[in-house]
């Protein structure tokens, strides 16, 4: 059995040749699972080189068709040879599957299906193009939104965190936030494990600084309880999202370009100041991330002094990916974007300094970004599912993969966004 996978204008094409028997069916099943992105809705199976087909192979195709139907898409099978067609007919599946005489015909049907789904979305909210991606904006709540900053980014960066600088947060108070934190039975229990953290709709995902480089998470089933999140630095959103948006970019859009687009839209609409908070559920085209290896506590400050990001210290303190990972997987994230060229006089100067102090936050165009994200797998993308339901689905149903501080080169293929235009920033 031979199997190849490729894409034509976003449509996944699986070509299977040789003998598709019981043994090969398991290989094809694994190959499809590896190739299928969370945003794939239409797939073409090309059987031009297939000489033998059994019920085991048919079941693989049937399982894929059922999964695509749930996603609002479909399966197109083409170039079926004489013997495989006889098998499909005798098993009664020539009427279950949609068969096409050529790859071109199967692709044309798949493109029509995708275009119809996009047309429905375009009629609901006309798209605008920014940074080569298609954005559709919808109004949210116009109640002013603000950010609340706790702790010191400077203490974090220079490993000066002490017990008195760590606060205990209830989960009901940190619906959307990011920073440095940990879970534990007490402050003393949590402090050695302080690492990158993000809270999304009251759930917490964090990267314990225990040397294992393995994230952990906690999803409360109800409000209240005794479990606390201990945070040494935390930026939390107070208020609702002022706008929602969907983003589609076949080649992917970087986080930096996505924030540029949000700021450009805000300027055109004459809304917001120079700070935005963005929550995201989408599909990644490749994650570039970093994390803190060990808690930046005062007792473990770099012997040579300076920041944990200084060249002589960074290898001991920071873990960063050099190549993109997790392309095609689902991602949920929360981030802050700051435009230093805007009028920020209404915001607390100390809070602005905390937002702009992270050395991994400044992009090439001067924007300052700080975003934490969580990667999940096997959460099918749905244009019609709103942001917060999508986040809930990831938390409840997704296969948990990773959590990182997202670098600006992280790419997004499709996403739902919640955008808050920040009117004030406070400390404490």
């Amino acid at each position: 059995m031979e199997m190849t996978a490729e894409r034509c204008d976003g449509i996944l094409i699986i070509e299977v040749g040789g003998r598709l028997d019981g043994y090969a069916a398991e290989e094809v099943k694994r190959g499809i699972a590896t190739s299928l992105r969370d945003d794939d809705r239409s797939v073409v199976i090309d059987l031009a080189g297939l000489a033998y087909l059994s019920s085991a192979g048919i079941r693989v195709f049937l399982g894929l068709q059922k999964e695509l139907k749930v996603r609002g898409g479909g399966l197109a099978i083409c170039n079926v040879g004489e013997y495989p067609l006889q098998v499909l007919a005798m098993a009664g599946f020539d009427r279950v599957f949609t068969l096409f005489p050529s790859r071109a015909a199967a692709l044309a049907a798949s493109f029509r299906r995708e275009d119809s789904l996009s047309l429905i979305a375009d009629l609901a909210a006309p798209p605008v193009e920014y940074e080569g991606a298609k954005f559709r904006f919808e109004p949210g709540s116009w109640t002013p939104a603000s950010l609340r900053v706790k702790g010191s980014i400077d203490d974090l960066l220079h490993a000066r965190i002490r017990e008195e600088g760590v606060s205990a947060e209830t989960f009901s108070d940190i619906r959307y936030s990011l920073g440095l934190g940990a879970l534990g039975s007490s402050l003393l229990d949590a402090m050695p494990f302080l690492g990158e953290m993000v809270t999304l709709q009251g759930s917490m995902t964090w990267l314990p600084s225990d040397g294992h480089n393995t994230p952990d998470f906690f999803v409360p089933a109800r409000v209240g309880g005794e479990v606390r999140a201990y945070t040494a630095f935390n930026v939390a959103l107070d208020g609702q999202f002022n706008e929602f948006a969907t983003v589609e970019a076949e080649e992917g859009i970087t986080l930096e370009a996505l924030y540029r687009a949000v700021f450009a839209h805000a300027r055109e609409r004459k809304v917001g100041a120079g700070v935005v908070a963005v929550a995201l559920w989408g599909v990644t085209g490749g994650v570039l991330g970093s994390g803190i290896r060990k808690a930046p506590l005062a007792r473990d400050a770099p012997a040579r002094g300076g920041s944990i990001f200084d060249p002589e210290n960074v290898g001991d303190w920071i873990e960063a990916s050099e190549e993109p990972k997790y392309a095609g997987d689902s991602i949920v994230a929360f981030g802050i974007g700051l435009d230093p060229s805007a009028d920020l006089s209404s915001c607390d100067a100390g809070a602005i300094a905390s937002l702009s102090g992270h050395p991994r936050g400044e992009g090439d165009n001067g924007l300052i970004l700080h975003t934490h994200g969580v990667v999940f797998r096997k959460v099918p993308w749905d244009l019609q599912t709103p942001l917060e339901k999508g986040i809930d689905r990831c938390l409840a149903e997704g296969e948990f993969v990773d959590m990182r501080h997202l670098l600006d080169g992280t790419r997004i293929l499709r996403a739902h966004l919640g955008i808050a235009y920040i009117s004030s920033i406070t400390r404490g």
Side-chain angles (χ1 to χ4, degrees), residues 293 308 310-319:
R293 290 179 185 270
I308 62 176
D310 288 348
E312 62 270 22
N313 297 324
V314 68
D316 296 330
W317 289 83
I318 307 299
E319 176 82 22

PDB file of all heavy atoms in Angstrom, residues 293 308 310-319:
ATOM      1  N   ARG A 293      12.084  28.310  32.356  1.00  0.00           N
ATOM      2  CA  ARG A 293      12.550  27.001  32.836  1.00  0.00           C
ATOM      3  C   ARG A 293      12.417  26.847  34.351  1.00  0.00           C
ATOM      4  O   ARG A 293      12.119  25.766  34.854  1.00  0.00           O
ATOM      5  CB  ARG A 293      14.020  26.807  32.479  1.00  0.00           C
ATOM      6  CG  ARG A 293      14.339  26.618  31.014  1.00  0.00           C
ATOM      7  CD  ARG A 293      15.836  26.467  30.855  1.00  0.00           C
ATOM      8  NE  ARG A 293      16.256  26.403  29.472  1.00  0.00           N
ATOM      9  CZ  ARG A 293      16.373  25.289  28.764  1.00  0.00           C
ATOM     10  NH1 ARG A 293      16.068  24.139  29.321  1.00  0.00           N
ATOM     11  NH2 ARG A 293      16.779  25.326  27.515  1.00  0.00           N
ATOM     12  N   ILE A 308      16.878  37.717  33.323  1.00  0.00           N
ATOM     13  CA  ILE A 308      16.897  36.315  32.908  1.00  0.00           C
ATOM     14  C   ILE A 308      16.935  36.207  31.385  1.00  0.00           C
ATOM     15  O   ILE A 308      17.212  35.127  30.844  1.00  0.00           O
ATOM     16  CB  ILE A 308      15.701  35.533  33.475  1.00  0.00           C
ATOM     17  CG1 ILE A 308      14.374  36.104  32.972  1.00  0.00           C
ATOM     18  CG2 ILE A 308      15.736  35.524  34.993  1.00  0.00           C
ATOM     19  CD1 ILE A 308      13.155  35.316  33.428  1.00  0.00           C
ATOM     20  N   ASP A 310      18.957  38.217  29.548  1.00  0.00           N
ATOM     21  CA  ASP A 310      20.279  38.626  29.081  1.00  0.00           C
ATOM     22  C   ASP A 310      20.970  37.437  28.416  1.00  0.00           C
ATOM     23  O   ASP A 310      20.777  36.280  28.844  1.00  0.00           O
ATOM     24  CB  ASP A 310      21.131  39.147  30.237  1.00  0.00           C
ATOM     25  CG  ASP A 310      20.670  40.512  30.724  1.00  0.00           C
ATOM     26  OD1 ASP A 310      19.839  41.134  30.014  1.00  0.00           O
ATOM     27  OD2 ASP A 310      21.101  40.943  31.809  1.00  0.00           O
ATOM     28  N   PRO A 311      21.778  37.673  27.391  1.00  0.00           N
ATOM     29  CA  PRO A 311      22.397  36.564  26.641  1.00  0.00           C
ATOM     30  C   PRO A 311      23.127  35.550  27.513  1.00  0.00           C
ATOM     31  O   PRO A 311      23.065  34.344  27.254  1.00  0.00           O
ATOM     32  CB  PRO A 311      23.365  37.288  25.699  1.00  0.00           C
ATOM     33  CG  PRO A 311      22.749  38.638  25.499  1.00  0.00           C
ATOM     34  CD  PRO A 311      22.105  38.989  26.810  1.00  0.00           C
ATOM     35  N   GLU A 312      23.794  36.018  28.579  1.00  0.00           N
ATOM     36  CA  GLU A 312      24.545  35.081  29.417  1.00  0.00           C
ATOM     37  C   GLU A 312      23.639  34.282  30.352  1.00  0.00           C
ATOM     38  O   GLU A 312      24.079  33.286  30.950  1.00  0.00           O
ATOM     39  CB  GLU A 312      25.598  35.826  30.246  1.00  0.00           C
ATOM     40  CG  GLU A 312      25.039  36.837  31.214  1.00  0.00           C
ATOM     41  CD  GLU A 312      24.895  38.222  30.604  1.00  0.00           C
ATOM     42  OE1 GLU A 312      24.824  38.336  29.362  1.00  0.00           O
ATOM     43  OE2 GLU A 312      24.846  39.199  31.381  1.00  0.00           O
ATOM     44  N   ASN A 313      22.382  34.689  30.490  1.00  0.00           N
ATOM     45  CA  ASN A 313      21.457  34.001  31.398  1.00  0.00           C
ATOM     46  C   ASN A 313      20.347  33.232  30.684  1.00  0.00           C
ATOM     47  O   ASN A 313      19.779  32.298  31.250  1.00  0.00           O
ATOM     48  CB  ASN A 313      20.798  35.007  32.345  1.00  0.00           C
ATOM     49  CG  ASN A 313      21.795  35.695  33.257  1.00  0.00           C
ATOM     50  OD1 ASN A 313      22.770  35.085  33.691  1.00  0.00           O
ATOM     51  ND2 ASN A 313      21.571  36.964  33.560  1.00  0.00           N
ATOM     52  N   VAL A 314      20.024  33.650  29.469  1.00  0.00           N
ATOM     53  CA  VAL A 314      18.805  33.155  28.831  1.00  0.00           C
ATOM     54  C   VAL A 314      18.792  31.631  28.683  1.00  0.00           C
ATOM     55  O   VAL A 314      17.735  30.995  28.843  1.00  0.00           O
ATOM     56  CB  VAL A 314      18.600  33.852  27.457  1.00  0.00           C
ATOM     57  CG1 VAL A 314      19.674  33.425  26.453  1.00  0.00           C
ATOM     58  CG2 VAL A 314      17.220  33.559  26.908  1.00  0.00           C
ATOM     59  N   GLY A 315      19.937  31.019  28.400  1.00  0.00           N
ATOM     60  CA  GLY A 315      19.958  29.567  28.239  1.00  0.00           C
ATOM     61  C   GLY A 315      19.580  28.807  29.494  1.00  0.00           C
ATOM     62  O   GLY A 315      19.023  27.708  29.428  1.00  0.00           O
ATOM     63  N   ASP A 316      19.867  29.390  30.653  1.00  0.00           N
ATOM     64  CA  ASP A 316      19.538  28.748  31.933  1.00  0.00           C
ATOM     65  C   ASP A 316      18.076  28.959  32.311  1.00  0.00           C
ATOM     66  O   ASP A 316      17.530  28.191  33.098  1.00  0.00           O
ATOM     67  CB  ASP A 316      20.423  29.307  33.046  1.00  0.00           C
ATOM     68  CG  ASP A 316      21.900  28.982  32.839  1.00  0.00           C
ATOM     69  OD1 ASP A 316      22.188  27.936  32.242  1.00  0.00           O
ATOM     70  OD2 ASP A 316      22.748  29.788  33.266  1.00  0.00           O
ATOM     71  N   TRP A 317      17.463  30.015  31.747  1.00  0.00           N
ATOM     72  CA  TRP A 317      16.148  30.412  32.237  1.00  0.00           C
ATOM     73  C   TRP A 317      15.016  30.242  31.233  1.00  0.00           C
ATOM     74  O   TRP A 317      13.861  30.085  31.634  1.00  0.00           O
ATOM     75  CB  TRP A 317      16.184  31.882  32.684  1.00  0.00           C
ATOM     76  CG  TRP A 317      16.970  32.095  33.930  1.00  0.00           C
ATOM     77  CD1 TRP A 317      18.335  32.251  34.038  1.00  0.00           C
ATOM     78  CD2 TRP A 317      16.465  32.152  35.263  1.00  0.00           C
ATOM     79  NE1 TRP A 317      18.685  32.404  35.353  1.00  0.00           N
ATOM     80  CE2 TRP A 317      17.562  32.354  36.136  1.00  0.00           C
ATOM     81  CE3 TRP A 317      15.190  32.074  35.813  1.00  0.00           C
ATOM     82  CZ2 TRP A 317      17.421  32.466  37.507  1.00  0.00           C
ATOM     83  CZ3 TRP A 317      15.037  32.186  37.180  1.00  0.00           C
ATOM     84  CH2 TRP A 317      16.146  32.374  38.025  1.00  0.00           C
ATOM     85  N   ILE A 318      15.326  30.298  29.946  1.00  0.00           N
ATOM     86  CA  ILE A 318      14.270  30.351  28.941  1.00  0.00           C
ATOM     87  C   ILE A 318      14.359  29.164  27.989  1.00  0.00           C
ATOM     88  O   ILE A 318      15.429  28.829  27.483  1.00  0.00           O
ATOM     89  CB  ILE A 318      14.351  31.667  28.124  1.00  0.00           C
ATOM     90  CG1 ILE A 318      14.375  32.880  29.044  1.00  0.00           C
ATOM     91  CG2 ILE A 318      13.199  31.748  27.133  1.00  0.00           C
ATOM     92  CD1 ILE A 318      13.151  33.034  29.924  1.00  0.00           C
ATOM     93  N   GLU A 319      13.208  28.546  27.735  1.00  0.00           N
ATOM     94  CA  GLU A 319      13.072  27.483  26.745  1.00  0.00           C
ATOM     95  C   GLU A 319      12.280  28.060  25.575  1.00  0.00           C
ATOM     96  O   GLU A 319      11.168  28.549  25.746  1.00  0.00           O
ATOM     97  CB  GLU A 319      12.307  26.294  27.337  1.00  0.00           C
ATOM     98  CG  GLU A 319      12.021  25.173  26.369  1.00  0.00           C
ATOM     99  CD  GLU A 319      13.199  24.240  26.199  1.00  0.00           C
ATOM    100  OE1 GLU A 319      14.051  24.192  27.098  1.00  0.00           O
ATOM    101  OE2 GLU A 319      13.252  23.567  25.162  1.00  0.00           O
TER     102      GLU A 319
END
